[in-house]
Amino acid sequence: MPIDAQRHIGVVSEPRVVHVERGFLKFFAKATGETDPIYFDEAAARAAGHPDIPMPPTYVFSLQLSAPAKAGDVFDPVGGLGVDMARVLHGEESFTYHHPIYAGDRLELVTITTDIYDKKGGALQFIVQETRCTNGDATVCVEARQVTVVRNG
Amino acid sequence: MGEVAVGQALPEHVCGPIDRTTLALFAGASHDHVKLHIDSDFAKAAGMDDVFAHGMLVMAYLGQLLTRWRAQSNLRRWSVRFVAITPLHATIHCRGQVVEILEEGGERVARVKLGAWTDKGVQTVDGEALVALA
């Protein structure tokens, strides 16, 4: 069933608090075949001038997934869009960086559904969501934008 | 770091081949549990040939292409489009090329065209990054 765009555009999620866990960053480095030790070894990170292991460029997407919003989540059938997992594709992803993030940081995420549009007479729908990630000082660290494609055909 | 010029290619970054273990580990590490990437029965029932790679796995590889070229602290912004599915067993070739050098926010920045290709020559991700040269 197509998504009711008018119902979901403009929905703002509740703020979700997430912690950047060192163990998960190490696991992510292993899973992506990372060989640069600053991404999995605290000593190497400190030797390179970092306070701890840096969060890699795409990991904010994983933080989002680790804390699904009650309002506006793509899959959630109650407070979100209720999209069938079998019908999704990732269309686009963007990141804009303002401030570095390290293991041990506590962050807050807020996601807004900014647009929903369709192509091919509704056979494909595109959900645009923007997430703002702030740290404990209320400094914006990263902004992420994603486009999820839903195959209705 | 040597001088950067328009037309310069970033050192190619080759990853994979992507097998089922890669996808299982990435699902766990990235919190992306969409079954299309980890459960062959589910993927086939959804009309796919088999499980296929998470787009964000390939974007992570492209991130490595960038952070091997310049430290992550120089990465200002980037965006990608997932233009084709990355199939199981593919080896991924990440490539980038400086297409413009400009001033932005008071610093010299390179605009880098990015892409990921399978070993069969199919482009699966297309993108662009702005990287500070200071």
Side-chain angles (χ1 to χ4, degrees):
Chain A
M1 199 168 69
I3 304 154
D4 179 353
Q6 292 317 309
R7 185 180 146 209
H8 296 288
I9 292 174
V11 168
V12 181
S13 80
E14 76 283 10
R16 295 106 78 196
V17 173
V18 293
H19 293 88
V20 182
E21 296 178 38
R22 193 183 291 121
F24 256 108
L25 295 190
K26 293 183 185 185
F27 185 16
F28 189 84
K30 176 186 169 75
T32 55
E34 180 59 80
T35 56
D36 184 343
I38 68 165
Y39 291 106
F40 53 81
D41 177 344
E42 299 94 299
R46 293 201 177 97
H50 300 289
D52 207 314
I53 293 174
M55 190 174 90
T58 61
Y59 192 78
V60 70
F61 182 82
S62 296
L63 291 178
Q64 292 171 238
L65 294 177
S66 75
K70 290 188 179 68
D73 180 70
V74 167
F75 299 121
D76 188 336
V78 180
L81 285 74
V83 172
D84 179 354
M85 194 181 276
R87 296 181 172 277
V88 294
L89 291 170
H90 199 158
E92 299 175 28
E93 187 70 38
S94 315
F95 299 109
T96 302
Y97 306 98
H98 303 287
H99 193 78
I101 299 172
Y102 294 100
D105 286 1
R106 174 189 179 281
L107 304 169
E108 195 175 272
L109 308 175
V110 174
T111 302
I112 304 176
T113 302
T114 53
D115 198 9
I116 300 172
Y117 58 93
D118 59 52
K119 287 185 182 172
K120 298 186 180 173
L124 295 175
Q125 280 188 297
F126 297 76
I127 305 162
V128 185
Q129 295 186 312
E130 296 181 7
T131 298
R132 176 175 280 213
C133 172
T134 50
N135 67 13
D137 304 325
T139 301
V140 178
C141 297
V142 186
E143 293 167 283
R145 177 181 181 275
Q146 68 204 68
V147 181
T148 305
V149 184
V150 184
R151 300 178 295 135
N152 288 319
Chain B
M1 291 288 176
E3 189 62 20
V4 172
V6 171
Q8 182 187 328
L10 278 59
E12 186 180 58
H13 181 51
V14 181
C15 302
I18 293 169
D19 60 20
R20 293 175 200 277
T21 303
T22 316
L23 300 184
L25 289 175
F26 187 74
S30 73
H31 300 281
D32 187 333
H33 305 158
V34 170
K35 292 185 181 185
L36 293 167
H37 306 300
I38 43 180
D39 184 329
S40 299
D41 300 331
F42 184 90
K44 287 173 185 168
M48 313 306 294
D49 293 335
D50 203 335
V51 292
F52 56 97
H54 306 74
M56 291 306 288
L57 172 62
V58 182
M59 192 173 185
Y61 292 155
L62 284 168
Q64 292 171 356
L65 169 82
L66 291 169
T67 59
R68 276 159 177 66
W69 184 61
R70 284 290 186 278
Q72 187 180 334
S73 56
N74 290 342
L75 182 55
R76 296 289 172 263
R77 62 176 188 267
W78 62 314
S79 60
V80 304
R81 286 187 312 123
F82 301 99
V83 293
I85 279 172
T86 299
L88 198 59
H89 309 306
T91 295
I92 305 301
H93 295 253
C94 298
R95 300 181 188 124
Q97 186 178 33
V98 177
V99 292
E100 187 183 359
I101 293 173
L102 58 153
E103 292 277 327
E104 192 183 275
E107 58 183 1
R108 267 179 90 233
V109 177
R111 187 161 65 86
V112 178
K113 190 101 182 76
L114 300 171
W117 284 263
T118 68
D119 43 317
K120 293 196 165 72
V122 176
Q123 185 170 13
T124 64
V125 185
D126 182 36
E128 196 175 280
L130 279 181
V131 183
L133 296 172

